[in-house]
Amino acid sequence: MVTATSDQTLEILHLEDSLADHELAGRTLRRSGLQCQLRQVDTLSEFQRLTDSGSFDIILADYRLPGFTALDAWAHVAQKPQHPPFILLSGAIGEAAAVDAMRLGVADYLLKDDIQRLPHVIARALEVHEARRMREQAVAELAMSQRRLAELAEHLQTSIEQERASIAREIHDDIGGALTAVRFDVAWIGRHSTDAAMQEHASSAADMLQHAIGASQRIMMNLRPPILEQGLVAAVQWLAAGFERRTGVPTRLQSSSDTINTPADIQLVAYRTAQEALTNISKHAQPGKVDIDLSDKEGVLTLEVADNGRGIAPEMLDKPKAFGLKGLQERARTVGGWLDISSRPGQGTSVILSIPLPSPPPTAPGDAM
């Protein structure tokens, strides 16, 4: 992009049917020291051809020309994604019409009686145009960066879930199996030993092994709970029952139906959201009760986990290291959903996950028979 202060020559297209006015504009620009090439055109068809095939740094246009106006020319230029600034330079335009033109996107306007200000108007239009271009570029780069971060977050979440599933299988197949086998051997030693001390140590070891087996099962369930295979409602009910059993806090689940069919990725996001919300409640909320609502009405899966506990201060939601809540928001985005968190200190917290559900495939006429 050429600016008015650069050493490069500005390429200017001048839409003007008066040769005298065109020459006056050229002399005004040259006297100001502005290096430019000024090209005149006076028909709409030629203007369209030149703007389609050529590249210009700025366009000057008289308002009224034979058979058309500058707004017709602007309508053609405005369709182009990288169009140059468009300035009205006219003696036949009222202020109201000029303001309306600028609302449409025209950069500026100048009366021919005030043509000595033309270099300044051009310089200002180029500066504004460059600033807008830089802002649009920054917005585009930011959007691209956000897309890449979203793709990375989705990849990381997928990788984490795959690794969790792999670890859960190893715990079940290797560690769990080995612990169970050792427990049987220790129990056998205890049964066949006549030494009281040996029997006592064997019993103690068997109890510790049983504790380790239970711990491995809990870890395995947290990593990749098999209950997910029974559906989302059953999985959330299992979470709620476990939470109530551990904390003693009454926890109620209300669902729009006994079974909610969702794709596996959406089901997993909803399950992890409920799991993280309950974990946060157990750590921070100190509630008297927890209510969980699950619905798939109107083509949207909605999960709400609400408590009547301590609540969350607004500044805590914006903490840079509030990774749990931010992680839930990123999870929701990976499946096209969103997360809303509302809370007031002393009045509890509500975490709401909303995910649009894919439309079911159309039923063929013969399927209903």
Side-chain angles (χ1 to χ4, degrees):
M1 178 68 192
V2 180
T3 64
T5 57
S6 70
D7 294 333
Q8 299 183 40
T9 300
L10 287 176
E11 295 293 336
I12 302 176
L13 182 61
H14 191 191
L15 183 57
E16 174 62 69
D17 60 338
S18 169
L19 181 59
D21 288 347
H22 170 68
E23 292 177 348
L24 177 60
R27 286 197 300 271
T28 301
L29 294 176
R30 286 190 291 273
R31 279 200 301 268
S32 72
L34 188 67
Q35 299 184 48
C36 62
Q37 290 288 340
L38 198 62
R39 181 166 184 175
Q40 182 188 9
V41 61
D42 59 5
T43 66
L44 182 59
S45 59
E46 182 66 6
F47 174 86
Q48 292 172 339
R49 185 187 70 80
L50 289 173
T51 51
D52 286 342
S53 60
S55 177
F56 296 93
D57 298 306
I58 203 157
I59 296 174
L60 304 177
D62 194 3
Y63 186 72
R64 297 190 183 280
L65 297 106
F68 68 102
T69 71
L71 295 185
D72 298 311
W74 166 247
H76 179 76
V77 172
Q79 300 173 6
K80 302 181 182 301
Q82 298 295 332
H83 61 76
F86 191 103
I87 298 174
L88 295 176
L89 177 60
S90 177
I93 183 174
E95 185 173 349
V99 171
D100 288 341
M102 292 182 66
R103 286 174 179 166
L104 293 175
V106 170
D108 209 340
Y109 78 98
L110 180 67
L111 296 177
K112 291 179 179 179
D113 292 342
D114 201 16
I115 198 170
Q116 68 275 5
R117 295 185 59 249
L118 181 58
H120 170 72
V121 171
I122 288 177
R124 183 177 60 189
L126 289 172
E127 290 174 1
V128 171
H129 182 73
E130 180 65 9
R132 183 180 295 113
R133 188 191 68 81
M134 295 287 289
R135 183 171 63 251
E136 291 173 352
Q137 180 179 342
V139 170
E141 291 175 352
L142 178 60
M144 182 179 293
S145 176
Q146 289 174 335
R147 284 196 300 273
R148 289 174 177 171
L149 285 174
E151 291 170 357
L152 175 61
E154 183 175 2
H155 171 72
L156 290 175
Q157 291 294 348
T158 301
S159 299
I160 289 170
E161 292 299 339
Q162 290 174 346
E163 188 65 21
R164 280 177 165 174
S166 176
I167 294 172
R169 284 192 298 269
E170 290 184 13
I171 291 174
H172 179 270
D173 297 340
D174 296 337
I175 298 176
L179 288 173
T180 301
V182 172
R183 182 175 180 277
F184 285 146
D185 287 341
V186 169
W188 185 90
I189 292 172
R191 287 196 306 271
H192 292 80
S193 175
T194 57
D195 185 281
M198 179 69 75
Q199 291 177 343
E200 183 179 353
H201 281 293
S203 176
S204 177
D207 290 341
M208 290 299 297
L209 284 167
Q210 184 59 46
H211 175 77
I213 291 170
S216 68
Q217 290 175 340
R218 286 195 302 274
I219 294 171
M220 182 185 66
M221 291 289 285
N222 285 329
L223 287 170
R224 182 71 179 186
I227 198 169
L228 277 173
E229 298 176 1
Q230 300 181 27
L232 182 59
V233 176
V236 175
Q237 180 63 65
W238 178 79
L239 278 177
F243 175 84
E244 182 172 331
R245 185 173 59 254
R246 292 190 308 273
T247 64
V249 177
T251 304
R252 178 188 65 89
L253 170 64
Q254 181 173 334
S255 177
S256 59
S257 61
D258 293 336
T259 59
I260 295 179
N261 296 320
T262 61
D265 56 345
I266 293 178
Q267 176 179 274
L268 187 57
V269 168
Y271 176 84
R272 292 302 185 197
T273 299
Q275 185 181 45
E276 180 68 21
L278 291 173
T279 299
N280 286 338
I281 290 171
S282 66
K283 288 181 179 178
H284 310 294
Q286 299 178 2
K289 66 173 183 174
V290 174
D291 293 314
I292 304 175
D293 289 324
L294 195 58
S295 169
D296 61 348
K297 294 180 180 179
E298 299 182 357
V300 177
L301 176 68
T302 304
L303 167 72
E304 180 178 6
V305 182
D307 68 76
N308 63 347
R310 298 169 57 188
I312 307 174
E315 60 271 15
M316 297 299 291
L317 293 174
D318 296 328
K319 278 200 320 179
K321 294 186 178 181
F323 295 122
L325 297 177
K326 288 182 173 62
L328 293 181
Q329 292 169 336
E330 289 302 322
R331 276 185 180 274
R333 291 192 187 101
T334 62
V335 289
W338 59 93
L339 192 77
D340 294 313
I341 302 172
S342 60
S343 182
R344 295 181 63 184
Q347 298 186 29
T349 301
S350 175
V351 176
I352 304 175
L353 171 70
S354 303
I355 306 174
L357 293 171
S359 301
T363 303
D367 293 344
M369 297 179 61

